[in-house]
Amino acid sequence: MHIAVVPARNEAGRIGIVLRNLLSLPLSYIIAVINGCTDSTLDEALNIKDNRIILLVFTEPLGIDIPRAVGASFAHKLGATGVVFVDGDMTGDFQLHLSSILDALKQGVDLALVNCYPYITSRQKLTSIVLRFRGLLNMGLGLYKDLGLASPTHGPHGISRRLFEIVPLDYLAVPPSVLVGAKKNNLNIKVVTSIPHSLLSSPARKRHHTRMITHTIIGDCLQALCICKGCTISRAYGKHDFDGYHSGRRFDLLLQWEVALAQSDTNYLNQHLLV
C-alpha cells in the first residue's frame, strides 16, 4: 500500500491541481495536511470527490515540514508500506517521475530521492549557497558520490515503512536529518529520478520568504551534521545562526498528534480528520 502526503499552507488555486495529478497514480490514499490555511485551500480540496482523499485539518499553523511528519505518521497508521511526499504547490506534470519513486519503494529502496537541479551550470546566488550546504552534508555522510546534491529537503521523495519505524518522527520535520538516520541505520538510499526544478511548477515567492527558506535549509543541514558527528546541536556557521523558519516548527503539536495516534484517541483525531 502506497500513500501520498501533501502538505498545504494557503495553496488555493494549486491544491486541486496537485490532488488531481496524484489521483492518476496507483495510490491507496492521498493525505492532504491542511496547515493553518486562511484561504480557500480546504474548500478546494473538499470539492474533489474521491474516496482516496483524506484531509487532516489543523487550524493552528504547524510550521514548515511538521505536516510531513503528521501525514507520514497517519499513513503508517493506515498500513502504508511506502509514503511519497509532494508539496501542495507543485502543480507540474511529473507523474512519471513519481511512478519511479513508487517503483523504487516497491523494489526495496528506503529513501527514494530526486535530483531537482540536473544539468544546470548557472544558478541563482541563494540556490548556490543552499546547494553548497547540502553538498557538505552529503559529503559528511559519505554519500556525495552516490547522491550528489540530492536531499529530502527539496522536491518529491519517498520513504519506506522500515525507514519510518527506525528514524525518529521529528527527523521528518527537519528533512536533512532523515538522511542521517537512514545512513546510520544502513538503509537503502538512492536517487531514482531527476525532475528539473522548473518542472515542479512551484510559484515564485517573495524575496523575504526565499531568504527565510534558504536560512532554514542551511540551518537544517548544519543541525544534521551535528547529529552525524554526535556533537551538540547547533544551527550556527561562523558568526551566523541560521534559524529561518525553524523556530516556528510546532514540535509540541506533532507530539500531541503522535500520542493521540498511539493511544487511538478518537476524540482528538476526529477534530482533525475529514474523509
Side-chain angles (χ1 to χ4, degrees):
M1 177 193 294
H2 290 87
I3 295 177
V5 170
V6 183
R9 166 77 169 157
N10 291 338
E11 300 298 354
R14 294 179 288 271
I15 187 65
I17 299 172
V18 175
L19 294 179
R20 289 187 181 93
N21 286 344
L22 288 170
L23 285 170
S24 68
L25 296 169
L27 294 163
S28 298
Y29 296 103
I30 300 165
I31 300 172
V33 185
I34 310 300
N35 175 24
C37 293
T38 56
D39 63 0
S40 59
T41 298
L42 176 57
D43 292 334
E44 190 172 324
L46 284 170
N47 282 333
I48 302 176
K49 306 303 181 183
D50 192 291
N51 59 13
R52 288 185 290 163
I53 294 178
I54 296 171
L55 305 180
L56 300 179
V57 183
F58 292 81
T59 56
E60 189 173 1
L62 299 171
I64 190 170
D65 296 317
I66 296 287
R68 292 189 190 187
V70 166
S73 59
F74 195 69
H76 179 266
K77 184 80 170 180
L78 293 175
T81 54
V83 175
V84 59
F85 299 98
V86 179
D87 289 346
D89 64 353
M90 295 178 178
T91 58
D93 181 7
F94 48 86
Q95 287 91 314
L96 287 177
H97 301 279
L98 294 178
S99 293
S100 296
I101 294 175
L102 294 174
D103 289 343
L105 294 175
K106 292 175 184 176
Q107 294 164 12
V109 175
D110 294 301
L111 179 55
L113 301 174
V114 302
N115 177 8
C116 289
Y117 291 97
Y119 321 123
I120 297 176
T121 57
S122 177
R123 303 183 176 100
Q124 294 182 355
K125 183 178 179 180
L126 289 179
T127 299
S128 296
I129 294 172
V130 167
L131 293 179
R132 176 190 171 197
F133 282 90
R134 281 167 49 172
L136 285 174
L137 174 59
N138 288 358
M139 284 187 281
L141 290 169
L143 295 172
Y144 188 82
K145 181 179 178 182
D146 295 322
L147 304 185
L149 300 172
S151 169
T153 199
H154 179 221
H157 59 285
I159 63 171
S160 69
R161 186 176 185 88
R162 179 168 63 160
L163 183 147
F164 179 87
E165 293 178 344
I166 291 176
V167 173
L169 183 61
D170 57 359
Y171 278 26
L172 294 179
V174 187
S177 299
V178 176
L179 273 174
V180 181
K183 172 65 176 179
K184 284 193 170 185
N185 288 282
N186 297 313
L187 299 182
N188 187 357
I189 310 168
K190 188 176 180 180
V191 176
V192 300
T193 188
S194 293
I195 308 176
H197 176 76
S198 58
L199 187 60
L200 299 176
S201 297
S202 300
R205 303 293 186 177
K206 293 182 179 179
R207 183 167 180 80
H208 172 73
H209 175 75
T210 302
R211 182 172 291 276
M212 289 290 284
I213 287 291
T214 299
H215 284 205
T216 304
I217 296 173
I218 291 173
D220 287 354
C221 290
L222 293 170
Q223 181 172 326
L225 278 168
C226 291
I227 297 173
C228 174
K229 297 175 181 177
C231 59
T232 302
I233 299 297
S234 172
R235 300 176 65 90
Y237 189 82
K239 297 180 180 179
H240 301 282
D241 193 292
F242 291 96
D243 181 77
Y245 289 122
H246 177 65
S247 57
R249 285 172 167 148
R250 295 296 304 274
F251 288 99
D252 58 327
L253 297 181
L254 176 59
L255 179 59
Q256 286 182 25
W257 175 258
E258 184 179 12
V259 170
L261 275 184
Q263 297 177 349
S264 297
D265 184 345
T266 54
N267 289 331
Y268 180 88
L269 297 176
N270 287 339
Q271 294 175 29
H272 302 285
L273 177 62
L274 291 175
V275 179

